[in-house]
Each structure stands twice: as structure tokens, then as C-alpha cells.
Amino acid sequence: MKTLAVSILCMMLAAAAVAQRNVTPTQTVVSFYSALRERRYVEGFRRSIYRGAIDGLTAAELQDLEPDFVRTFAAIPEKIEIRGEQINSDTAVVFVKFDGVEQLEQVALVKLDGEWLVGDKDALEVVSSQGRAFFFNARMTVNEGDAVEMLQRIIGAEVIYSAKFQGRNATLEELIKLSAVPKEIADGDASGYRFVLTVSEDKKSFVASAAPGAYGKTGRLSFYADLDGIRAEDLKGQPATARSPMYQPK
């Protein structure tokens, strides 16, 4: 037989569940953005279709991902105005005016098990298929794109430098000094990748490479670049080579 304390607890949990289901799309959106702005990331993501990605992460994994969350959500303004909502069965749209942004933002929501969650059905399917790996997969996609852009920048800088200095190629230090590439790459690490620029002894050729700093967490593809273009291959974190296939953007 249940004790009085257990019965009261059960009633409280049931009441909380009902209260959560009675939260409107507008209230959900406000709570979502407020939590992310205040760096209460777990609470915020649980009000969205990303709850399946945040639940189950260890404390160490959350700490690892926190810098990514900070960069992504630091720009959320304190002042958020709600300009209306539209509900259509199990989907909704909340119209939001962020302080400092003229255009209204349309925030999509879906209803899941009677509860409104920020996000749309397509994103929900992706998150559901990837689960707790979602945020790491998203990070790797961004980092790999950044690595390609950095290598393209290095190639372009070397072409310009070579044309100006009679076929001579520049070292990474020289390119940084000329502001041809950002200072953040000075120690070879940027966007979760380790970059190496090697210039031949006669300065007539160069090879640039980029490998993930932490394979499976900051990236999967390794890259190799020269004047022929960029090559890429999943080599479990080992450097790519001139024999790697040409990079094909997804």
C-alpha cells in the first residue's frame, strides 16, 4: 500500500506533466531562448527537438561541447518580443522580434506527446536518427567545412605570393605576417584541425594538410592540398596524401 508521501509525490509529478503539456508555443519559445542565453543548455535543448541529442550525454561530453554552444548562442539578445503565433494541429510558428534585428524571425515548433518543442519535423527526424551523436556530428561538419575554406585560402594566398615573387612560395609564418591567413592558425591548430604547410627546399612548391585534432569528435576527414586542389579521406585521424581522392563537397 502506498504511503501518503508516495501518493503526494505521484500527484505532484502528474500535475507537473499536465502543466508541461499546457505550455503554449510562445511560452516554449521564450523559455528555450532564455535558457540558451543564460547557458542553461540542457534545460533549453529539452524544450526543443534536440532533447534526444542532449539526453544521455555525459558530463565530460557536455563540457566538451560547451564552447560550441557558447559561440553559437552568445549572440541571443536579452530582449525578445513575441509578435504572434499560428497553430495548425501539431505544428506551430511563433513570430519573434530579436532586439537589434529588424526582420521578424519565424520559429517553428512541433507537438510531440502533447508537448510543444522548438524545431520542425525534418530536423526531428535527423536528431532522432543520430541521437546523442548529433551535436558531435554537427560540430564535425562545421569544422570540416572550415578546414576546406582555410586550405582554399592558403592555396589562393600561395598563388598570389608566387606570382609576385617569381615563383617562390611562402611559409605559414610569412602568410600570417602578410595577413593572407588568420593569426589563429599560427600554432597550426584551428577549428578542431591541425594544419601543416610545407614548402619545398627550392620554394617552388608547397603542400598543405589538415587532420582532425580529435578524430570522431572534431572531424573525420583528413585533407591534403596543393596547386591541383584539395583531397580528402577518412583515415581515422592520420594525414591525407597525394593519393587520397579529390574532395567532393556534400
Side-chain angles (χ1 to χ4, degrees), residues 6 11 16 25 27 35 79 130 134 149 167 183-184 189 203 212 231 243:
V6 172
M11 287 188 292
Q27 292 170 326
K79 186 177 180 181
Q130 297 183 19
F134 174 81
E149 290 182 7
K183 292 181 180 179
E184 67 183 66
D189 295 326
K203 308 293 185 181
R231 298 176 178 273
R243 296 185 297 276

Side-chain angles (χ1 to χ4, degrees), residues 2-15:
K2 290 183 179 179
T3 66
L4 178 60
V6 172
S7 298
I8 293 174
L9 177 60
C10 290
M11 287 188 292
M12 290 175 63
L13 291 174

Side-chain angles (χ1 to χ4, degrees), residues 170-181:
T171 64
L172 185 60
E173 292 76 10
E174 289 171 324
L175 292 181
I176 292 174
K177 187 175 181 180
L178 293 170
S179 298
V181 295

Side-chain angles (χ1 to χ4, degrees), residues 4-249:
L4 178 60
V6 172
S7 298
I8 293 174
L9 177 60
C10 290
M11 287 188 292
M12 290 175 63
L13 291 174
V18 171
Q20 186 64 34
R21 286 180 171 81
N22 289 332
V23 173
T24 67
T26 292
Q27 292 170 326
T28 300
V29 168
V30 171
S31 298
F32 171 74
Y33 281 111
S34 295
L36 295 184
R37 181 175 55 81
E38 295 168 6
R39 301 191 180 187
R40 294 180 282 114
Y41 300 118
V42 173
E43 179 182 341
F45 285 127
R46 283 179 176 161
R47 297 183 181 275
S48 74
I49 53 93
Y50 301 107
R51 61 167 44 174
I54 205 74
D55 288 341
L57 291 177
T58 66
E61 288 172 329
L62 286 169
Q63 185 176 13
D64 186 12
L65 288 166
E66 185 170 3
D68 298 333
F69 296 155
V70 171
R71 284 192 296 270
T72 303
F73 303 115
I76 296 176
E78 184 175 356
K79 186 177 180 181
I80 298 176
E81 297 179 22
I82 302 298
R83 297 291 181 87
E85 70 176 23
Q86 293 179 351
I87 300 175
N88 181 17
S89 184
D90 61 348
T91 62
V93 175
V94 173
F95 299 91
V96 180
K97 172 67 169 62
F98 291 103
D99 189 31
V101 180
E102 291 301 321
Q103 186 175 355
L104 286 180
E105 295 289 337
Q106 298 185 28
V107 181
L109 298 94
V110 295
K111 182 177 281 189
L112 186 64
D113 297 328
E115 183 179 351
W116 287 108
L117 300 175
V118 173
D120 57 40
K121 291 182 178 180
D122 290 340
L124 177 60
E125 289 182 7
V126 174
V127 173
S128 297
S129 66
Q130 297 183 19
R132 60 194 297 273
F134 174 81
F135 286 119
F136 287 106
N137 290 339
R139 170 205 272 176
M140 289 188 287
T141 297
V142 171
N143 287 353
E144 288 171 357
D146 288 346
V148 170
E149 290 182 7
M150 184 70 76
L151 291 172
Q152 290 172 333
R153 189 166 177 175
I154 289 173
I155 292 172
E158 290 288 13
V159 169
I160 294 172
Y161 191 93
S162 178
K164 185 175 181 179
F165 294 98
Q166 293 77 47
R168 179 180 178 274
N169 289 115
T171 64
L172 185 60
E173 292 76 10
E174 289 171 324
L175 292 181
I176 292 174
K177 187 175 181 180
L178 293 170
S179 298
V181 295
K183 292 181 180 179
E184 67 183 66
I185 199 177
D187 60 359
D189 295 326
S191 299
Y193 268 78
R194 299 188 308 272
F195 291 85
V196 177
L197 175 59
T198 303
V199 179
S200 63
E201 189 173 349
D202 62 3
K203 308 293 185 181
K204 298 298 183 181
S205 64
F206 73 92
V207 168
S209 66
Y215 177 79
K217 287 191 173 182
T218 63
R220 287 198 180 94
L221 292 178
S222 295
F223 298 94
Y224 176 98
D226 56 21
L227 285 177
D228 293 328
I230 299 175
R231 298 176 178 273
E233 192 173 2
D234 185 341
L235 294 170
K236 310 299 182 184
Q238 297 301 307
T241 70
R243 296 185 297 276
S244 296
M246 296 299 296
Y247 171 68
Q248 298 293 334

